[in-house]
Amino acid sequence: MIVEVVAVGTELLLGQIANTNAATIGAALAEKGFDAHFHQVVGDNLNRVASAISAAIDRSDAVIITGGIGPTQDDLTREALCLATGLEMDYSEEYAQHLREWWSQRGREMPDSNLRQAQHPVGATLLDNPRGTAPGLSIDHGGTLIFCVPGVPEEMQYLLSAEVLPALIARDGSEHVLVSRILRTWGRSESDIAEVLDDLYQESTNPSVAFLASAGEIKVRLSAKAASSSAAESLIAPVEAQVRERLGSSIFGVDDETIEVVLFRLLEERGWRIGTAESMTGGMVGARLTDLAGSSRYYVGGVVAYEARLKQSLLGVVDVKQVVNEETATAMAEGVRELLGMEVGVSVTGSAGPEPMEKPVGTIVVGVATPEGSMARELRMVGDRERVRTYATTTALHLARLGVSGVWWSN
């Protein structure tokens, strides 16, 4: 079953309110195994809302409209639904009385405009909304199920769970689940990974293969639909095995595992702790490591040595005439390891910009020192100062992971 979401509200288009409802509905639909090919956002304009609804009806088995069913003049979803379907507007005196009682119980006088919430297209069912005054609506129009739910997230979520999803499952005849496995990678470009996995992408439909790039990491998403979670996982397993074989140590985590979580787990396995020596990142690596609760078990501390003389006096860097190089990064990592008395040191130096320092803007050098050895790597990042510093921080954590795991890396 294909289900489309239409979010109504000019505030969504202007970015004044984040469209969290569409994300929530999309996740709930995916969890139940329904397909969503389109999401629409439309402002508070009668003709445009009607047009969006008409387009959704034409290409979907069910439509969920969120927003625009309140009591004010710009709440136009009911009218737009009538315009899109050619249905007349009806009025529920029973619900109007419910509204009067709702306001009376709270000792307040009801504005007449609230009676608009008793209006609905002919043939629609009013869906009880105990979280607010606007009832949801459902109607079967020519075989397409249409639902209207409030834009208030709490009210939308209640009706989604209590009314919409059960109705969709009943119409579909069976409940499916969609299971996704996220394999998180670092060190290879999105295009490189796509080439390596091209045949899996082309040939596999269930599970499907997708690529997602974010903050220097590439995620490979494997999604399977089946009657149960275990059946879906069985479909995913052989494809996941092939992906792991091809990408090897580029894969560092699964699903919600961040690089910090993985690094701490590796440190715990080896009984090691880590410290940082930072120049261009100014403490960003240490901040990432201390974001996690319980980080004091693994993270000892750090030194931010921005000036060359501090690299020399605190970290033992001998030659400070040129500091954006692998020799300096290695010395910083070894120096902080010795200074703080722990097993692993990770360092970052480089040229973040906007003006180049020794080497072109975007040059970063990361060093890692462990009881098994030391190594440094120079890389070039593209972007403005903040992007370079952010990517340098992520790179430092990943190279630390490789050093701690004993895999290291090839320059």
Side-chain angles (χ1 to χ4, degrees), residues 342-411:
M342 73 305 183
E343 293 77 17
V344 183
V346 57
S347 66
V348 186
T349 183
S351 175
E355 298 299 323
M357 188 183 80
E358 298 180 17
K359 294 184 178 181
V361 171
T363 303
I364 71 165
V365 192
V366 174
V368 178
T370 78
E372 299 174 347
S374 304
M375 189 175 288
R377 183 175 182 182
E378 180 177 313
L379 302 97
R380 185 72 57 80
M381 303 294 174
V382 177
D384 59 16
R385 177 179 176 82
E386 199 53 39
R387 182 181 174 91
V388 169
R389 280 159 43 93
T390 298
Y391 276 45
T393 300
T394 299
T395 299
L397 295 173
H398 280 285
L399 294 184
R401 168 184 64 89
L402 292 173
V404 171
S405 67
V407 175
W408 294 96
W409 62 86
S410 57
N411 287 303

Side-chain angles (χ1 to χ4, degrees), residues 11 26 32 77 82 168 175 186 194 202 209 219 237 245 248 253 271 275 312 348 352:
E11 67 276 12
K32 298 299 182 182
T77 295
C82 287
L168 291 175
E175 181 175 357
W186 179 86
Q202 298 292 344
V209 181
K219 300 171 185 174
E245 181 181 359
Q312 188 172 54
V348 186

Side-chain angles (χ1 to χ4, degrees), residues 246-259:
R246 298 182 192 187
L247 298 184
S249 62
S250 296
I251 298 174
F252 71 89
V254 178
D255 296 334
D256 294 329
E257 290 181 325
T258 64
I259 178 55

Side-chain angles (χ1 to χ4, degrees), residues 25-337:
I25 297 171
L29 292 173
E31 183 181 349
K32 298 299 182 182
F34 297 111
D35 296 317
H37 294 174
F38 297 94
H39 279 194
Q40 295 188 73
V41 179
V42 59
D44 300 310
N45 175 279
L46 180 61
N47 290 325
R48 287 195 286 270
V49 176
S51 177
I53 294 172
S54 295
I57 292 172
D58 288 343
R59 63 194 177 198
S60 303
D61 302 306
V63 180
I64 302 173
I65 308 164
T66 174
I69 58 174
T72 59
Q73 298 93 323
D74 60 350
D75 289 311
L76 301 169
T77 295
R78 288 177 292 264
E79 290 84 349
L81 184 54
C82 287
L83 185 59
T85 59
L87 296 171
E88 298 293 327
M89 188 73 80
D90 203 350
Y91 182 82
S92 172
E93 181 56 42
E94 180 182 356
Y95 196 80
Q97 184 57 33
H98 165 77
L99 288 171
R100 296 185 186 99
E101 292 173 359
W102 190 93
W103 284 84
S104 177
Q105 289 169 2
R106 288 156 179 78
R108 300 170 62 187
E109 183 177 350
M110 184 185 73
D112 290 340
S113 61
N114 274 87
L115 292 175
R116 296 183 70 238
Q117 294 175 313
Q119 296 177 338
H120 57 87
V122 170
T125 300
L126 299 183
L127 306 177
D128 183 44
N129 173 20
R131 309 290 174 84
T133 60
L137 302 173
S138 70
I139 189 168
D140 186 332
H141 179 68
T144 300
L145 283 177
I146 304 172
F147 302 91
C148 300
V149 295
V152 178
E154 180 185 5
E155 299 177 34
M156 180 281 295
Q157 290 166 15
Y158 171 82
L159 285 171
L160 180 67
S161 298
E163 300 284 354
V164 176
L165 291 175
L168 291 175
I169 293 168
R171 169 61 66 90
D172 196 40
S174 61
E175 181 175 357
H176 296 87
V177 297
L178 181 71
V179 174
S180 291
R181 176 70 40 77
I182 305 293
L183 300 178
R184 304 167 73 109
T185 79
W186 179 86
R188 304 176 76 149
S189 68
E190 184 178 15
S191 56
D192 178 32
I193 290 176
E195 287 186 5
V196 171
L197 303 179
D198 182 62
D199 59 319
L200 298 180
Y201 175 83
Q202 298 292 344
E203 297 170 5
S204 183
T205 56
N206 191 27
S208 62
V209 181
F211 312 105
L212 312 169
S214 61
E217 297 173 355
I218 309 300
K219 300 171 185 174
V220 180
R221 185 186 67 212
L222 308 176
S223 301
K225 184 189 295 186
S228 66
S229 295
S230 59
E233 289 168 357
S234 295
L235 292 172
I236 289 173
V239 180
E240 179 181 353
Q242 292 187 64
V243 173
R244 286 184 176 277
E245 181 181 359
R246 298 182 192 187
L247 298 184
S249 62
S250 296
I251 298 174
F252 71 89
V254 178
D255 296 334
D256 294 329
E257 290 181 325
T258 64
I259 178 55
E260 296 90 334
V261 169
V262 172
L263 178 56
F264 284 168
R265 184 174 66 236
L266 291 170
L267 289 167
E268 184 170 28
E269 289 173 358
R270 308 206 67 168
W272 290 353
R273 294 194 298 168
I274 192 170
T276 53
E278 301 182 61
S279 181
M280 66 174 287
T281 46
M284 293 172 67
V285 179
R288 284 274 297 270
L289 290 172
T290 53
D291 273 345
L292 292 183
S295 59
S296 58
R297 295 174 55 189
Y298 313 103
Y299 181 65
V300 177
V303 173
V304 177
Y306 215 66
E307 286 194 353
R309 62 182 179 85
L310 294 181
K311 293 180 177 69
Q312 188 172 54
S313 61
L314 294 177
L315 300 173
V317 178
V318 176
D319 184 1
V320 294
K321 294 179 181 178
Q322 299 287 323
V323 295
V324 183
N325 53 58
E326 293 182 359
E327 292 75 14
T328 297
T330 300
M332 289 172 65
E334 293 174 343
V336 77
R337 179 173 175 261

